[in-house]
Amino acid sequence: MPTAYPTLFSPIKIGSIEVPNRIAMMPMGVFSPRLMNLRTAAYTKEGADYYIERAKGGTGLIISGIVPIIPMPYLNPVNHPEEYVEQMRYLFDGVHEYGSKMFIQFTAMNGRAAWFEDGKVDPGLPAPSEIQNVWDPTLKNRAMTVEEIHQYVKNFATAAALVKEAGGDGVEIHAVHEGYLLDQFAISFFNHRTDEYGGSLENRLRFAKEIVEAIKAACGEDFPVSLRFSVRSYVKDFNRGALPGEEFEEKGRDLAEALEAAKLLESYGYDMLNCDNGSYDSWYWPHPPVYMPKACNLEDVMKVKEVVNIPVVCAGRFDDPDLAEKAISEGKIDMMGMGRPLLADPELANKFCEGRLDDIRPCISCHQGCLARIFQHKDISCAVNPACGREKSMVVTPAETAKHVAVVGGGLGGMEAARVSALRGHTVDLFEKTGELGGVFVWAASLDFKEDDRRLLAWYKKQMADLGVNVHLNCEATADTVADYDEVYVATGATERKLDTPGFDSPNVTYAIDTLSAHDEFEGDDVVIIGGGLTGCEIAYDLGRKGKKVTIVEMTETILNAYGLSAANYNMLMDLLDYYHVCVIKNAVVQKYENGVAYVEETEKNYPNIANRAKRMFALGPQGEKHVHEIPADHIVACVGYIANQDLYHELAAKVPEDRLHLIGDAVHPANVMEAIWNAFECAIER
């Protein structure tokens, strides 16, 4: 098929196999019992269908999420070889049916990054050396014995042979990557051993060397073995990552050592390097949030390609086919790696090939449906694609009876209900009282680093047009307007909470939506933000990087208490607030605003929580003394939440039968993008 991306859609050899194009699905954890057999670590039919859907969508190489091979009675194919092989055949056959190839990624797991559901860390879990744990630095993991290392190597080889027997195309070793156990061996900051597995770079890579040698011995030299490779660690210290562009002393793997390691890994027999950056100590590099630049790892990964001859994959917010085509055609990398974008749209590769870029449902780098759910022990999925991980059970099918459907409110929830209803064959009227679709998400997407949010809005608007939804803008629906429809979805959203604080009638006081629509027009340098939720902190970050002196005042003892906010997003935003010198005052409220001064009163004795900058700026009193602090404020921004708009719903409840009336989105209760979309999808798919 002719395509605008001839290099991206050209085949490539990885060892002995040929992959039909240069698009690879990156490994993402799949550990829920519905998707993975937690005894054998084989994928269930539902788990296999999740991967097969991406092969159907045109992805050339599928790399599974990590599969442990450590000595334990569960989640280990080595313990159940016959069952594992039998259960995996459905997956490999399904992927091959669409011409794609599939590797299984095996891991020695976490080492010092191990954690447990009850929040307690088992210090008996081995690391390269006796070093502090990521999640509980008061504990130290013990050093791994040489005998244990040899058992792990044997398990890797046995597991790889099982993949080959089941029909898999290759394996990937989760080795020099993300600060997991094998990466800890590779980095001198964590590896203090004095035996043959510590000291020189060659010794620190010996574990990875013995693994590939054992696999080749068990499976043959022509069986492909990839290695997951974090080029640079971006670690400033234990549990301290470095931001893009920040000057720092690398404590992990720097670029010079990475290039030496890459050459050694190729010489050991690895057939591909699957690259990104980062470590558990700098978690927002391997799991880049919305605040991270697009293609954030490309520059470092291109350096790796200069020193090796095996294929090199680049991943990390890398979803631009034009950039990928250029980099691959110039020989800078060999493959484009994508994880979350393929969760959002499993047909992404085919849409690239066909030039249908406007039809791609974009990943918004929120981590709410993927990484956050993995840590909640739920199925991997996607905030903007509720069918992800439920490919067969949540397929949208034509309704038995075509209906006339009304949707009141054109936010994300309303548009999702309209989209699904139209796909089911219903005639849909969508009523939006303003002149633009999108609701409050229009303003949430206005920050310049939210380009994917704006792409999501554009995608929804195109879906409305393509599916023939009758959109009525500047049209406020009433109970009489919609009462006679067969189905009525009330997606009337929410209204910002207001504060009656003295002085807040000043023109220098704005709330979140007005602030987001005109934040570049602020006069003066000092800004006080009331409310340390996600919206308030994102506005603070945006203003801080534009040179404003920002203070967040939060009435509770913590900020960023947003449900579903993953550690990667949380950690990066917290580091950004610190980097741009945003002052955070907790357990405090603004008592009044007068003559350009915000009078901040502590609600508790909280001086230990107040940043040093605040102590310097405002000459706070001795610890434990409770009084009011006078903070300069040329402008105040109030981000204190929303109240659901349910008036129309209650009016309709008296006129419309309960089974035809549906409250969805923020009108149920203000939440987040994922909840609004999922709630609407799951409601509309049944009607």
Side-chain angles (χ1 to χ4, degrees):
M1 175 187 293
T3 176
Y5 308 107
T7 309
L8 187 59
F9 287 93
S10 64
I12 183 172
K13 292 290 290 288
I14 303 172
S16 63
I17 69 162
E18 183 172 274
V19 177
N21 61 49
R22 308 300 186 96
I23 296 174
M25 180 178 179
M26 294 292 92
M28 291 169 284
V30 176
F31 288 124
S32 63
R34 195 178 66 82
L35 301 179
M36 176 180 271
N37 183 320
L38 298 186
R39 193 167 66 92
T40 66
Y43 294 102
T44 65
K45 185 179 183 300
E46 289 85 356
D49 287 336
Y50 153 77
Y51 287 115
I52 292 168
E53 190 73 11
R54 275 75 200 166
K56 180 181 177 182
T59 304
L61 176 64
I62 311 285
I63 305 176
S64 78
I66 57 175
V67 176
I69 54 77
I70 65 177
M72 62 184 183
Y74 56 93
L75 265 180
N76 194 338
V78 173
N79 296 341
H80 312 279
E82 293 180 2
E83 289 181 68
Y84 180 78
V85 169
E86 181 61 31
Q87 292 167 4
M88 290 293 284
R89 284 188 172 129
Y90 174 81
L91 168 59
F92 294 133
D93 289 347
V95 168
H96 293 158
E97 181 180 347
Y98 295 101
S100 300
K101 305 296 183 182
M102 181 151 194
F103 289 3
I104 300 300
Q105 187 189 78
F106 289 119
T107 181
M109 288 302 289
N110 314 64
R112 63 178 285 265
W115 65 286
F116 290 88
E117 187 174 358
D118 63 3
K120 295 181 180 178
V121 175
D122 179 2
L125 287 170
S129 311
E130 185 179 327
I131 51 174
Q132 65 190 79
N133 186 271
V134 170
W135 305 105
D136 186 349
T138 66
L139 295 177
K140 289 186 177 182
N141 293 74
R142 67 172 177 84
M144 199 174 197
T145 68
V146 172
E147 291 73 22
E148 286 175 318
I149 293 172
H150 292 165
Q151 184 61 52
Y152 274 57
V153 170
K154 181 180 177 181
N155 282 6
F156 273 106
T158 302
L162 295 176
V163 168
K164 182 179 181 181
E165 183 181 350
D169 300 291
V171 294
E172 178 166 279
I173 307 307
H174 189 230
V176 188
H177 183 255
E178 201 182 330
Y180 276 72
L181 176 63
L182 293 175
D183 196 24
Q184 294 160 31
F185 269 87
I187 296 172
S188 60
F189 189 55
F190 305 117
N191 184 345
H192 307 144
R193 301 176 73 100
T194 57
D195 61 10
E196 66 270 31
Y197 294 96
S200 68
L201 178 61
E202 289 84 351
N203 279 358
R204 286 182 274 121
L205 291 175
R206 188 181 301 277
F207 202 160
K209 177 177 184 286
E210 292 178 351
I211 288 169
V212 70
E213 290 173 343
I215 292 173
K216 294 290 187 177
C219 301
E221 289 295 324
D222 61 344
F223 186 70
V225 183
S226 170
L227 181 136
R228 190 77 158 125
F229 185 48
S230 293
V231 182
R232 297 172 62 184
S233 301
Y234 285 98
V235 172
K236 294 191 293 189
D237 208 336
F238 285 105
N239 286 346
R240 292 193 64 203
L243 294 166
E246 183 178 3
E247 293 185 7
F248 70 104
E249 178 187 351
E250 178 67 77
K251 296 296 181 69
R253 182 169 44 256
D254 61 17
L255 183 59
E257 185 172 77
L259 300 184
E260 290 304 310
K263 290 185 284 188
L264 287 170
L265 293 165
E266 179 180 21
S267 74
Y268 298 157
Y270 284 100
D271 298 291
M272 184 174 84
L273 296 178
N274 183 9
C275 303
D276 61 5
N277 279 315
S279 169
Y280 260 95
D281 303 84
S282 54
W283 221 33
Y284 40 76
W285 281 97
H287 304 281
V290 62
Y291 319 111
M292 189 70 81
K294 283 297 187 81
C296 52
N297 301 316
L298 183 57
E299 183 177 346
D300 289 329
V301 176
M302 289 192 301
K303 297 292 186 183
V304 173
K305 182 58 187 171
E306 294 176 5
V307 300
V308 298
N309 296 306
I310 54 177
V312 170
V313 185
C314 178
R317 295 203 80 201
F318 190 20
D319 59 359
D320 181 348
D322 292 290
L323 180 58
E325 176 73 17
K326 183 176 187 295
I328 296 171
S329 64
E330 293 176 353
K332 302 293 181 62
I333 59 172
D334 296 291
M335 296 188 76
M336 175 189 205
M338 288 181 288
R340 293 169 294 162
L342 285 164
L343 304 182
D345 197 330
E347 297 179 73
L348 186 147
N350 285 341
K351 291 177 181 178
F352 278 178
C353 186
E354 297 162 8
R356 297 166 50 212
L357 304 188
D358 291 343
D359 288 329
I360 293 170
R361 174 167 38 192
C363 164
I364 59 173
S365 300
C366 65
H367 282 124
Q368 289 172 350
C370 49
L371 191 61
R373 282 177 61 85
I374 292 170
F375 272 76
Q376 295 162 7
H377 304 287
K378 298 177 180 177
D379 297 340
I380 190 171
S381 193
C382 176
V384 302
N385 177 16
C388 177
R390 303 184 287 181
E391 279 69 25
K392 300 299 184 184
S393 61
M394 284 295 181
V395 63
V396 180
T397 57
E400 293 183 4
T401 303
K403 300 177 182 179
H404 202 181
V405 174
V407 178
V408 183
L412 293 186
M415 287 193 286
E416 179 67 6
R419 183 185 76 87
V420 175
S421 297
L423 284 171
R424 300 210 69 206
H426 301 315
T427 300
V428 183
D429 286 305
L430 188 157
F431 300 92
E432 169 54 46
K433 69 179 182 179
T434 72
E436 183 177 6
L437 293 173
V440 297
F441 195 68
V442 171
W443 308 117
S446 66
L447 295 167
D448 62 7
F449 54 86
K450 295 289 187 80
E451 66 267 35
D452 287 326
D453 285 15
R454 295 189 288 277
R455 287 176 59 211
L456 181 64
L457 275 175
W459 180 82
Y460 266 114
K461 291 175 183 179
K462 188 173 189 298
Q463 296 304 300
M464 299 301 98
D466 291 351
L467 294 170
V469 173
N470 302 310
V471 176
H472 307 277
L473 297 176
N474 297 306
C475 183
E476 185 168 4
T478 65
D480 292 335
T481 306
V482 298
D484 293 332
Y485 280 78
D486 298 320
E487 303 284 347
V488 181
Y489 295 92
V490 179
T492 44
T495 303
E496 288 184 282
R497 293 183 184 276
K498 304 295 183 182
L499 297 174
D500 58 3
T501 305
F504 275 31
D505 55 353
S506 165
N508 292 345
V509 177
T510 55
Y511 287 81
I513 292 176
D514 287 339
T515 301
L516 290 167
S517 63
H519 61 281
D520 286 333
E521 301 172 14
F522 283 3
E523 295 182 0
D525 291 329
D526 294 304
V527 180
V528 170
I529 295 177
I530 302 173
L534 183 59
T535 299
C537 288
E538 286 188 340
I539 291 174
Y541 156 55
D542 185 59
L543 293 173
R545 68 195 179 113
K546 291 173 179 174
K548 304 294 184 183
K549 297 176 183 177
V550 184
T551 301
I552 295 174
V553 177
E554 167 57 43
M555 68 182 300
T556 70
E557 61 185 19
T558 56
I559 64 172
L560 284 177
N561 292 314
Y563 178 76
L565 185 66
S566 84
N569 296 51
Y570 174 90
N571 290 346
M572 186 165 189
L573 188 49
M574 290 291 282
D575 282 357
L576 286 166
L577 294 177
D578 181 62
Y579 184 77
Y580 289 106
H581 309 294
V582 172
C583 170
V584 178
I585 303 178
K586 309 168 192 174
N587 292 323
V589 297
V590 175
Q591 185 187 69
K592 66 178 179 178
Y593 179 49
E594 185 176 272
N595 298 323
V597 175
Y599 292 81
V600 177
E601 180 181 17
E602 298 171 82
T603 56
E604 294 182 15
K605 298 177 181 180
N606 71 328
Y607 281 115
N609 293 327
I610 298 178
N612 288 333
R613 176 174 175 266
K615 295 178 182 179
R616 292 195 305 270
M617 285 179 61
F618 311 128
L620 305 185
Q623 181 171 325
E625 181 183 337
K626 180 176 177 180
H627 62 255
V628 175
H629 312 295
E630 300 180 10
I631 303 178
D634 299 310
H635 199 102
I636 287 184
V637 179
C639 302
V640 290
Y642 295 82
I643 301 171
N645 290 328
Q646 298 183 351
D647 292 346
L648 178 61
Y649 175 79
H650 292 304
E651 285 183 51
L652 284 165
K655 300 183 177 184
V656 178
E658 183 179 354
D659 62 341
R660 293 197 289 115
L661 181 63
H662 318 289
L663 188 67
I664 61 173
D666 283 351
V668 180
H669 63 86
N672 54 38
V673 169
M674 178 173 171
E675 190 160 336
I677 292 176
W678 279 44
N679 171 244
F681 176 89
E682 292 174 349
C683 186
I685 199 173
E686 297 179 353
R687 291 166 177 86

